[in-house]
């Protein structure tokens, strides 16, 4: 190697492990936990909404599927934005996006509104992994 270059391992070891790394672990851990809770909630949401609104099993399946379809498209969208405008900025916007549509989905008054909001929550969840 030339005099002004060094191995990545040397750079990582030189930076050490301190407050910034603990902060990064805490923040990314929070987003991973939020993502896991959203996925776990799907198992409770389907049967509860099916009983409350007398939905068919196809409608309940669509309610779960739309979250994953949203994640599929959200990953691409949020990844492009994160590359262009910075990961932390987009992660913050993505977090607000998910929070807003999760609250709106909790207040949904119809099946269509719930499906749309859960799809948008999935769209936002797709960005949790790519923005950090």
């Amino acid at each position: 190697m030339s005099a002004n270059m060094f191995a990545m391992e040397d750079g990582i070891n030189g930076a050490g492990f301190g407050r910034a790394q603990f902060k990064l672990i805490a923040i990314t851990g929070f987003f991973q936990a939020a993502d896991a809770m959203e996925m776990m909630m799907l198992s409770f949401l389907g049967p509860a909404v099916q009983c409350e609104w007398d939905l068919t099993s196809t409608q309940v399946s669509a309610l779960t599927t739309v979250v994953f379809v949203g994640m599929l498209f959200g990953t691409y969208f949020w990844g492009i934005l994160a590359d262009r405008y910075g990961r932390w900025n987009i992660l913050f916007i993505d977090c607000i996006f998910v929070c807003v549509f999760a609250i709106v989905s909790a207040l949904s008054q119809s099946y269509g509104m719930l499906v749309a909001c859960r799809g948008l929550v999935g769209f936002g969840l797709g960005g949790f992994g790519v923005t950090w």
Side-chain angles (χ1 to χ4, degrees):
M1 275 192 229
S2 69
N4 61 353
M5 295 181 67
F6 57 90
M8 183 171 35
E9 184 177 331
D10 294 334
I12 292 171
N13 289 336
F17 193 84
R19 184 177 160 148
Q21 286 76 24
F22 281 116
K23 181 180 174 184
L24 180 64
I25 288 171
I27 290 170
T28 57
F30 168 76
F31 285 109
Q32 289 298 321
D35 185 26
M37 284 187 273
E38 282 288 341
M39 292 299 108
M40 187 177 69
M41 189 195 60
L42 290 175
S43 65
F44 301 113
L45 179 65
V49 173
Q50 186 176 24
C51 290
E52 184 69 28
W53 289 342
D54 195 32
L55 300 178
T56 66
S57 58
T58 303
Q59 289 174 309
V60 174
S61 297
L63 189 59
T64 302
T65 303
V66 74
V67 175
F68 293 105
V69 171
M71 289 176 76
L72 174 72
F73 292 105
T75 299
Y76 181 73
F77 175 80
W78 294 109
I80 290 173
L81 288 181
D83 287 343
R84 183 167 293 153
Y85 299 110
R87 303 214 175 270
W88 287 110
N89 297 331
I90 299 304
L91 182 60
F92 180 73
I93 292 167
D94 187 25
C95 182
I96 292 171
F97 184 90
V98 170
C99 289
V100 166
F101 284 104
I103 290 168
V104 173
S105 72
L107 301 173
S108 294
Q109 298 296 312
S110 68
Y111 174 74
M113 183 178 178
L114 182 61
V115 168
C117 289
R118 295 309 302 165
L120 289 169
V121 167
F123 186 81
L125 289 176
F128 278 6
V130 299
T131 54
W132 54 268

